[in-house]
Amino acid sequence: RTVSTEPDMRLEPTNLFLTPALAFTDINIGSASNSGTSGQQSVSVNNEHNVANIDNNNGWDSWNALWDYNTNFAAIRLFKKKVCIVHRMNKDVMPSLHTLDAMVKEKKGKGPGGQPPTSLIYSINPERVSDLEKLGKPIAGMCRGIPTYTADEIEGNLFFYSKACLHADILWILRISLCGELEV
């Protein structure tokens, strides 16, 4: 038997399998579907890295949120303020990655409907984060180069909270309020 050193240029049929773990799911939900918000939101779910990315495109009021299910941290990058705010994920309220993916696919183009979003209130800590790497690679990558703060969830009602709050409504699922003074 002789062995050829020339490359085999024949095209053979191949079987290609894409597993859901490697899939990205992009869902766009426009302002007609998000009552009380303007602009457009999109959700990308990366099952391989266990992260969800939510983009709110609304001009100067745009923001980006990243939920890292490996580290249990979530971050919101506020473009207008040029800051990143990181908080622990409240797993009692925030859906699992699989549930988020299914919810968004199911509601695609249908609008919120059902129960009003759950509200989460966070108090922003005034001290900047000095080591982004402890928050995990995805969040460190998103927040690198801009002032980053942590925030702690607080119980109660915004009516009784005296500090200024920034709001990020995530689809029809969550209404996040980030309260406190930022020195940028």
Side-chain angles (χ1 to χ4, degrees), residues 100-156:
L100 175 66
D101 192 24
M103 287 170 67
V104 172
K105 285 179 182 175
E106 179 185 311
K107 294 280 190 171
K108 184 178 180 181
K110 294 182 185 174
Q115 298 179 12
T118 301
S119 293
L120 294 173
I121 306 168
Y122 293 91
S123 176
I124 302 169
N125 298 314
E127 187 175 314
R128 286 187 186 183
V129 173
S130 58
D131 181 14
L132 291 175
E133 298 305 317
K134 69 181 178 183
L135 304 171
K137 285 184 179 185
I139 290 176
M142 183 174 90
C143 296
R144 187 168 286 116
I146 61 172
T148 302
Y149 301 88
T150 59
D152 298 312
E153 187 175 354
I154 58 174
E155 298 290 324

Side-chain angles (χ1 to χ4, degrees), residues 12-125:
E12 298 286 333
T14 59
N15 293 325
L16 178 64
F17 297 100
L18 294 176
T19 62
L22 301 176
F24 286 92
T25 304
D26 291 320
I27 308 296
N28 292 314
I29 300 183
S31 59
S33 300
N34 280 336
S35 60
T37 64
S38 58
Q40 183 176 6
Q41 288 190 2
S42 65
V43 177
S44 299
V45 173
N46 183 322
N47 291 304
E48 179 182 12
H49 295 288
N50 292 318
V51 296
N53 187 51
I54 301 101
D55 289 308
N56 185 68
N57 299 309
N58 186 19
W60 192 234
D61 291 323
S62 295
W63 50 263
N64 174 257
L66 190 139
W67 295 355
D68 187 340
Y69 288 85
N70 289 327
T71 63
N72 200 31
F73 283 117
I76 298 178
R77 183 176 179 165
L78 302 162
F79 294 107
K80 185 177 189 176
K81 296 283 187 180
K82 298 179 185 166
V83 298
C84 243
I85 300 170
V86 180
H87 60 85
R88 284 256 175 225
M89 293 174 63
N90 181 333
K91 296 229 177 180
D92 292 334
V93 176
M94 298 172 83
S96 70
L97 189 64
H98 176 72
T99 302
L100 175 66
D101 192 24
M103 287 170 67
V104 172
K105 285 179 182 175
E106 179 185 311
K107 294 280 190 171
K108 184 178 180 181
K110 294 182 185 174
Q115 298 179 12
T118 301
S119 293
L120 294 173
I121 306 168
Y122 293 91
S123 176
I124 302 169
N125 298 314

